[in-house]
Amino acid sequence: MYTIEQLTELIDNCTLCELHKGKTHYVVGDGNIKSKIMFIGEGPGEQEDVSGVPFVGKAGQLLDKMLASIDLDREKVYICNVVKCRPPKNRNPQPEEIAACINYLRWQFTIMKPKIIVLLGSVACQALLDPKFSITKRHGEIIQVKKTLFIPTYHPAALLRDPAKKKEAWEDLKNVRAKINELGLR
Ligand code: URA
């Protein structure tokens, strides 16, 4: 069993896939590791790579607004990504890069024991639920795996590209808030 500090040190020395060669910073996570609510994106973008903090660019600013819309903020949740290094030109992480990195995320689950995991976009859903997962068809579903509820929704970058999806994302977020209340997490 690692502490988050020990895990961070492990990640900060990782060479398990090629992505570390192009990175500026490893991006481990942000927010409250003691929270029971986790948000998982895809991988760091340019600004995240520069700062070492997930979701600080344009998509991150929208994520902050999405959190605020259901009375959450970075002190109340933990935010991380499927891969901890920026893929070149923000391409999707490749299956072998996800396979190399996924144990770090599993350790983050072990440390946090999240009750609700909000999956942001298809990369996170496909890595954690089903390689064929369709976010268009299944966003907003509440998927129980053992004692954890997974709730998929659109990635904020997808909402920036297609604002028409924001209405659906808002419905998903209302499901997240309802479950938080039902479980007495806030
Ligand atoms: N997109 C992601 O999936 N993660 C980040 O940290 C930033 C943008």
Side-chain angles (χ1 to χ4, degrees), residues 38-63:
M38 189 175 201
F39 282 70
I40 306 179
E42 182 178 314
E46 188 178 5
Q47 309 226 21
E48 292 76 21
D49 177 61
V50 168
S51 63
V53 182
F55 284 100
V56 290
K58 281 204 175 111
Q61 285 161 23
L62 180 54
L63 178 61

Side-chain angles (χ1 to χ4, degrees), residues 110-129:
T110 305
I111 294 166
M112 260 190 85
K113 298 182 190 65
K115 294 220 184 319
I116 295 178
I117 297 179
V118 181
L119 297 172
L120 300 167
S122 57
V123 169
C125 294
Q126 290 173 0
L128 290 164
L129 292 175

